[in-house]
């Protein structure tokens, strides 16, 4: 369901490249902030300086990495190899701005036509049955149910809701809920009321700590996978929140596990290697 854009292609099509400085002279950071201020103002929400949040990955040397999180939680990063933190910030803002603008197009709204096409694609990709779309107890039926419940929203808005369920599936919580005989409709209705916050992250981190007790090393393995997915997706210009949230949850779990033995040099080296991941 990842319908974000190829930034390399769009940069050449949308941002100015004809003058000697090209897109570098375009203040994409200010444009992104202005875009979301106007958008939130239309919703009668007072504009805030914290609408768009930037996070630079600590690193003493290039290439530098920067993430930008939009209102609602969608996250993007710089896809180019950047030799300065300022350049990484601009590049991340560029990717986020292009996707923000694209998300305003009519074909990015969830409509009945869009739902029909998406369900058909889901059936084809899972070798399922189109009749499953009318049965909320099936995966395709649950997906259909969620799309119907979000008619009129944009794809980024829908993605923000889906992130919670993606993480619950990854974390094993959805399977645990099915084992308690909760229906998919009940699960969807319950978690649709909640946003992804520190409390939910802490609960998921606790689940991974319990998994670590049963299978030592599983958190480090999952974290390395999440870091690799995050890096690959960032370089491809895709939306990053799912992979970034996995990284944050697993890092939180590791920080709790190592809190009692952090003074040991061996544990410090291991923790730093695991958290720093790929460069």
């Amino acid at each position: 369901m990842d319908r974000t854009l190829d930034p390399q292609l769009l940069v050449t099509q949308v941002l100015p490249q004809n003058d000697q400085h090209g897109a570098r002279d375009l203040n994409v950071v200010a444009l992104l902030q202005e875009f979301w201020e106007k958008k939130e103002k239309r919703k009668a929400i007072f504009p805030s300086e914290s609408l768009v949040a930037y996070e630079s990955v600590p690193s003493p040397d290039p290439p530098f990495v920067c993430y930008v999180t939009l209102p609602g939680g969608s996250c993007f990063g710089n896809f180019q190899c950047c030799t300065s933190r300022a350049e990484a910030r601009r590049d991340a803002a560029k990717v986020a701005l292009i996707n923000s603008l694209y998300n305003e197009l009519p074909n990015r709204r969830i409509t009945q036509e869009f739902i029909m096409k998406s369900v058909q694609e889901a059936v084809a990709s899972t070798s399922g049955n189109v009749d499953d779309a009318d049965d909320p107890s099936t995966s395709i039926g649950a997906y259909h149910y969620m799309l119907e419940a979000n008619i009129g929203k944009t794809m980024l808005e829908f993605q923000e809701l889906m992130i919670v369920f993606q993480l619950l599936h990854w974390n094993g919580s959805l399977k645990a809920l099915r084992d308690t005989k909760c229906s998919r409709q009940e699960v969807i209705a319950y978690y649709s009321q909640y946003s992804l916050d520190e409390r939910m992250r802490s609960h998921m981190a606790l689940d991974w700590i319990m998994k670590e007790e049963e299978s030592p090393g599983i958190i480090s393995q999952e974290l390395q996978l999440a870091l690799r997915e995050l890096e690959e997706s960032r370089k491809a210009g895709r939306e990053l929140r799912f992979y970034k949230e996995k990284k944050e949850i697993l890092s939180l779990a590791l920080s709790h596990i190592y809190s009692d033995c952090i003074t040991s040099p061996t544990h410090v080296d291991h923790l730093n290697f695991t958290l720093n991941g790929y460069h």
Side-chain angles (χ1 to χ4, degrees), residues 94-105:
K94 184 192 305 175
V95 178
L97 177 61
I98 291 171
N99 277 281
S100 296
L101 292 169
Y102 180 64
N103 195 55
E104 295 297 300
L105 297 177

Side-chain angles (χ1 to χ4, degrees), residues 222-276:
E222 281 289 325
L223 182 53
Q224 290 298 310
L225 175 60
L227 288 167
R228 185 166 61 249
E229 292 172 331
L230 180 61
E231 182 81 349
E232 291 172 352
S233 296
R234 178 182 63 81
K235 290 180 177 179
R238 293 196 290 265
E239 206 279 329
L240 304 173
R241 192 180 185 191
F242 177 54
Y243 308 113
K244 193 167 181 293
E245 290 290 353
K246 288 204 300 184
K247 170 184 170 291
E248 297 297 334
I249 291 166
L250 293 165
S251 298
L252 179 60
L254 270 182
S255 70
H256 283 295
I257 289 174
Y258 286 101
S259 61
D260 294 333
C261 52
I262 198 66
T263 54
S264 167
T266 301
H267 284 112
V268 171
D269 292 342
H270 176 70
L271 181 59
N272 286 336
F273 171 78
T274 305
L275 291 180
N276 288 335

Side-chain angles (χ1 to χ4, degrees), residues 1 4 8 22 62 76 97 105 136 139 145-146 150 174 183 187 193 203 235 242 254:
M1 195 77 190
T4 50
Q8 189 69 60
F76 298 91
L97 177 61
L105 297 177
S139 297
Y145 175 83
M146 291 185 70
N150 289 277
L174 289 184
S183 69
V187 173
Q193 304 174 50
H203 279 300
K235 290 180 177 179
F242 177 54
L254 270 182

Side-chain angles (χ1 to χ4, degrees), residues 59-170:
S59 175
D61 303 302
F64 294 103
V65 174
C66 182
Y67 299 111
V68 54
T69 301
L70 305 177
S74 295
C75 179
F76 298 91
N78 58 298
F79 74 98
Q80 293 182 334
C81 182
C82 298
T83 57
S84 72
R85 292 180 178 85
E87 183 186 0
R89 182 185 175 99
R90 289 193 299 270
D91 197 56
K94 184 192 305 175
V95 178
L97 177 61
I98 291 171
N99 277 281
S100 296
L101 292 169
Y102 180 64
N103 195 55
E104 295 297 300
L105 297 177
N107 64 356
R108 294 286 289 176
R109 294 277 171 183
I110 297 176
T111 62
Q112 286 295 346
E113 181 182 0
F114 177 87
I115 292 173
M116 185 180 301
K117 182 178 179 181
S118 296
V119 170
Q120 289 173 346
E121 290 176 353
V123 169
S125 63
T126 60
S127 300
N129 192 314
V130 71
D131 293 334
D132 291 342
D134 297 323
D135 182 2
S137 66
T138 65
S139 297
I140 292 175
Y143 177 54
H144 185 204
Y145 175 83
M146 291 185 70
L147 285 171
E148 289 282 358
N150 289 277
I151 283 183
K153 290 187 177 180
T154 67
M155 283 308 303
L156 278 184
E157 290 171 332
F158 183 67
Q159 269 188 322
E160 288 156 8
L161 172 66
M162 287 293 290
I163 288 294
V164 174
F165 294 96
Q166 283 180 283
L167 288 170
L168 290 170
H169 174 71
W170 162 74

